């Protein structure tokens, strides 16, 4: 349910921008042109008065699907061409008719490579994000280093990469698995302007993150014996400020390595979190509030509702 005052409210049932009928839609389209937003066409036809909204209205099916509405292209970034991280792969919506997109950098865990988190590239990019899955300088790098590398990757993406013109440098997020998830907490602590952080079965020796100002969704796994939730994901979540938009999703029947393969629960809540906080897209609030109930795939969910208040 969109919460806009103008476009989709029940008092204006014929004012839909999608159909471009009626006076309200015409006015909004004219304003969009005046604002330099370009024509309302393609998957972003419903851009409405949130300038960061991308893609059609979501449904449970659309966020659970293996692919979203955007066709995805990819480009490889050689480690030899960058500094501060180990190169990687950029996945991005092929279309240039929807303006710029928010972006997210994703780090693998200890001993692991980009390939271990590669499934998230096309999965997230097809929903309307530029996604940079990276390698680290060495596979033994610790979480603080991984945090700096995520930030170096975002800087490369927005300042020097071949797709820099497609990225909105003011709307960035970080994700990571294990020590990379610990790194995503480090990155958010270092750069409070980040709009979203999503640590996946995170590992870190630092258990306390009260400094974070970035909306953070932490995934734990009930069967994780490498980064047990009792000494990693749970204390990380509990230490986040209670005034922050924060979430803790504990995956049911899952292990430390569950985030290394396609996983619908990780995808649907990550998409919702990134959309809600990188795109300010309140159409996704319905998937986060009220808090998801325990299920076959969710052992437990903690968080605040509603968000942004
Ligand atoms: O990145 C990770 O998988 C961290 C878990 C780990 O192996 O820590 C032991 C030092
Ligand atoms: Zn701390």
């Amino acid at each position: 349910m969109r919460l806009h005052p103008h476009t989709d409210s029940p008092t204006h049932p014929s004012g839909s921008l999608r159909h471009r009928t009626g006076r309200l839609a015409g006015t909004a389209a004219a304003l969009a042109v005046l604002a330099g937003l370009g024509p309302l066409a393609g998957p972003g036809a419903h851009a409405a008065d949130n300038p960061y909204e991308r893609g059609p209205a979501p449904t449970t099916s659309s966020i659970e699907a293996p692919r979203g509405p955007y066709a995805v292209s990819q480009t490889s970034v050689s480690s030899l061409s960058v500094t501060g991280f180990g190169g990687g792969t950029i996945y991005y919506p092929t279309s240039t008719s929807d303006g710029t997109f928010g972006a997210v950098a994703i780090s693998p865990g200890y001993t692991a490579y980009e390939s271990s988190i590669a499934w998230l590239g096309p999965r997230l990019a097809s929903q309307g994000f530029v996604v940079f899955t990276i390698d680290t300088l060495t596979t033994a790098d610790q979480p603080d280093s991984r945090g700096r590398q995520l930030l170096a990757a975002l800087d490369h993406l927005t300042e020097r990469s071949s797709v820099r013109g497609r990225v909105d440098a003011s709307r960035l997020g970080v994700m990571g698995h294990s020590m990379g998830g610990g790194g995503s907490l480090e990155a958010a602590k270092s750069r409070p302007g980040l709009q979203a952080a999503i640590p996946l079965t995170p590992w870190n020796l630092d258990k306390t993150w009260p400094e974070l100002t970035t909306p953070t969704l932490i995934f734990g796994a009930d069967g994780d014996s490498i980064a047990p939730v009792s000494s990693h994901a749970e204390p990380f979540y509990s230490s986040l400020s209670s005034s922050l938009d924060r979430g803790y999703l504990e995956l049911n029947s899952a292990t430390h390595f569950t985030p290394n393969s396609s996983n619908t629960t990780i995808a649907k809540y990550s998409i919702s979190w990134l959309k809600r906080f990188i795109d300010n897209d309140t159409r996704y609030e319905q998937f986060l509030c009220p808090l998801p109930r325990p299920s076959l795939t969710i052992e437990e969910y903690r968080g605040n509702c509603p968000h942004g208040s």
Side-chain angles (χ1 to χ4, degrees):
M1 175 71 175
R2 298 174 68 255
L3 298 174
H4 278 296
H6 308 304
T7 52
D8 284 350
S9 80
T11 53
H12 296 112
S14 66
S16 161
L17 279 175
R18 178 188 302 283
H19 301 104
R20 306 192 64 179
T21 56
R23 192 163 50 83
L24 276 177
T27 303
L31 287 172
V33 170
L34 284 173
L37 299 177
L40 298 173
H46 206 203
D49 50 1
N50 170 7
Y52 307 137
E53 184 181 305
R54 297 290 181 276
T59 63
T60 296
S61 298
S62 76
I63 62 172
E64 290 183 345
R67 288 295 177 270
Y70 289 93
V72 173
S73 300
Q74 67 186 74
T75 184
S76 184
V77 177
S78 167
S79 62
L80 303 176
S81 72
V82 299
T83 53
F85 68 109
T89 305
I90 303 170
Y91 301 85
Y92 59 97
T94 307
S95 169
T96 54
S97 48
D98 278 2
T100 56
F101 293 93
V104 56
I106 311 179
S107 166
Y110 189 63
T111 75
Y113 294 90
E114 182 198 345
S115 57
S116 68
I117 37 101
W119 71 275
L120 286 160
R123 189 86 174 227
L124 300 178
S126 66
Q127 297 282 347
F129 295 102
V130 176
V131 181
F132 199 177
T133 57
I134 69 167
D135 273 324
T136 46
L137 293 167
T138 86
T139 59
D141 293 338
Q142 295 296 296
D144 58 343
S145 171
R146 287 170 197 266
R148 292 189 293 272
Q149 295 185 52
L150 283 165
L151 297 178
L154 288 175
D155 290 344
H156 176 82
L157 186 63
T158 59
E159 296 169 9
R160 291 174 292 281
S161 77
S162 62
V163 302
R164 63 190 182 279
R166 296 171 182 260
V167 180
D168 182 345
S170 73
R171 300 189 294 114
L172 304 175
V174 286
M175 298 177 66
H177 174 236
S178 194
M179 283 194 192
S184 70
L185 293 165
E186 305 274 359
K189 179 175 170 177
S190 303
R191 194 173 287 184
L194 292 179
Q195 306 276 61
I198 308 182
L200 307 170
T201 58
W203 187 99
N204 204 310
L205 293 174
D206 185 343
K207 308 303 180 184
T208 57
W209 302 91
E211 308 90 347
L212 266 61
T213 60
T214 297
T216 299
L217 172 61
I218 300 178
F219 283 87
D222 59 353
D224 192 333
S225 55
I226 295 173
V229 296
S230 59
S231 54
H232 293 273
E234 288 181 333
F236 301 165
Y237 169 78
S238 297
S239 73
L240 295 169
S241 168
S242 60
S243 65
L244 186 67
D245 285 313
R246 58 177 181 164
Y248 171 64
L249 192 161
E250 188 172 311
L251 297 162
N252 198 7
S253 303
T255 75
H256 186 62
F257 300 106
T258 295
N260 294 140
S261 312
S262 296
N263 181 287
T264 299
T265 304
I266 292 173
K268 76 182 279 191
Y269 292 103
S270 295
I271 290 162
S272 297
W273 198 262
L274 297 174
K275 287 284 191 178
R276 175 65 186 81
F277 295 108
I278 290 184
D279 292 355
N280 296 342
D281 194 336
T282 53
R283 297 178 302 173
Y284 290 80
E285 182 82 353
Q286 62 180 313
F287 308 114
L288 300 169
C289 292
L291 299 182
R293 304 304 307 165
S295 69
L296 285 176
T297 62
I298 298 177
E299 166 69 19
E300 176 190 4
Y301 193 106
R302 306 181 206 170
N304 64 296
C305 275
H307 296 106
S309 59

